[in-house]
Amino acid sequence: MHKAKVGVLISGRGSNMAALLYAAKADDCPYEIVLVAANDPDAPGLTLAAAEGIATFGQSHKGLKRAEFDQIIDAQLRASGAHYVALAGYMRLLSPAFVAGWEGRMLNIHPSLLPKYKGLDTHQRAIDAGDSHAGCSVHIVTAELDDGPVLGQTPVAILPGDTEDSLAARILIAEHQLYSRTLADFVTRDRHPDWLLNKVRATALALPQADEIVSHGMPCFGIVKGKKFAYFTRDHHGDGIIAVLVKTNAPEEQATLMEADPDRYYRPAYFGTDWVGIRLDLGDTDWDHIADRLRSSWRQIAPKKLLGLMDIAEDF
């Protein structure tokens, strides 16, 4: 089973990190922890991670500019092979460059029901507001503090007489359960057929005068009232494959691609040598490459007038 590689950033005891780490021990967990890093070399969570056989890195941020320290952490994450980052009690504001470098691949857990109570003192603020429930949220990290898209939440009832500490203790239990489950769903989303189709659809329909219909039992994309330039296939004819089919540029290109990467490229049944299948279910799809292939396929069927308009637009 291919497992997504995750780096975890902590600042202290790392209880959420531990929850992720122990969830990752299950054979069917779709991720593995490849690094635990902290901005405090004495963070207790580093000792735990090391004892569990996880690579660790600890360095104080003191005396370094924010961007300089983030470059150090970034280098450690990339050297570990991490493809995703999970913030788990990491008490540092991140530089814009660091956030941009992990755009769409970095999650955080926050102890409130976002968008309520961003920032600190979330439990006391919920109590003071008279809320019936507090809770926790897992969200994608963006440049704005605690502002990224929310992926999952768990409400936790506020009991009569609750203090900040008593409420925090119950919410922490919810955090430990929510984070591992949400991270597992997140790292496998790019293998779900509906998610993959939506990615292909968004790219294909962004091309001039593109439309979508169903043909051969598959969603397909073409120029309005014209030929087709792409098909999306999921388990077509029982082949168990999720892929996008695009036109080839030359008769020998299909064979060349299949020879170069036989796990990714294949000859789609009933389509001949004019088309090539590109698998999307391997977990490491290069979506820039898919966009290029869709654009190239579109250009092969586009009328000359439309091609001219496209060339002008690309020049700008």
Side-chain angles (χ1 to χ4, degrees), residues 190-269:
D190 59 358
R191 299 181 198 180
H192 294 169
D194 290 343
W195 188 89
L196 292 166
L197 173 56
N198 285 333
K199 286 283 288 186
V200 171
R201 175 182 287 130
T203 304
L205 293 182
L207 294 165
Q209 295 188 24
D211 69 354
E212 177 183 356
I213 64 169
V214 174
S215 178
H216 299 287
M218 299 180 287
C220 69
F221 305 92
I223 295 174
V224 176
K225 297 181 180 179
K227 298 179 181 180
K228 305 308 173 188
F229 64 87
Y231 291 80
F232 178 86
T233 173
R234 64 174 98 180
D235 197 29
H236 197 54
H237 297 293
D239 60 10
I241 290 173
I242 304 174
V244 60
L245 313 183
V246 295
K247 293 184 72 66
T248 54
N249 291 313
E252 67 276 7
E253 185 181 32
Q254 183 194 79
T256 300
L257 291 170
M258 290 168 54
E259 182 178 350
D261 192 348
D263 291 333
R264 192 174 313 276
Y265 297 97
Y266 69 98
R267 178 175 180 171

Side-chain angles (χ1 to χ4, degrees), residues 50 65 71 87 97 104 106 115 155 172 177 212 228 232 252 287 301 307:
K65 293 182 178 179
Q71 286 178 354
L87 306 182
M106 181 160 51
L172 191 60
Q177 297 182 44
E212 177 183 356
K228 305 308 173 188
F232 178 86
E252 67 276 7
W287 287 101
I301 69 166
L307 277 174

Side-chain angles (χ1 to χ4, degrees), residues 116-198:
K116 281 188 171 183
Y117 314 127
K118 299 175 182 179
L120 302 175
D121 303 319
T122 58
H123 307 113
Q124 191 62 52
R125 289 156 70 188
I127 293 171
D128 292 345
D131 293 348
S132 64
H133 287 75
C136 53
S137 307
V138 176
H139 65 95
I140 298 174
V141 176
T142 60
E144 298 297 322
L145 179 66
D146 301 328
D147 197 48
V150 173
L151 302 175
Q153 292 184 318
T154 301
V156 175
I158 298 177
L159 304 180
D162 252 339
T163 65
E164 180 178 9
D165 289 341
S166 64
L167 178 58
R170 289 202 309 284
I171 289 177
L172 191 60
I173 297 171
E175 289 180 30
H176 292 169
Q177 297 182 44
L178 177 66
Y179 209 176
S180 59
R181 183 173 67 247
T182 304
L183 178 60
D185 289 342
F186 185 73
V187 301
T188 56
R189 76 200 190 288
D190 59 358
R191 299 181 198 180
H192 294 169
D194 290 343
W195 188 89
L196 292 166
L197 173 56
N198 285 333

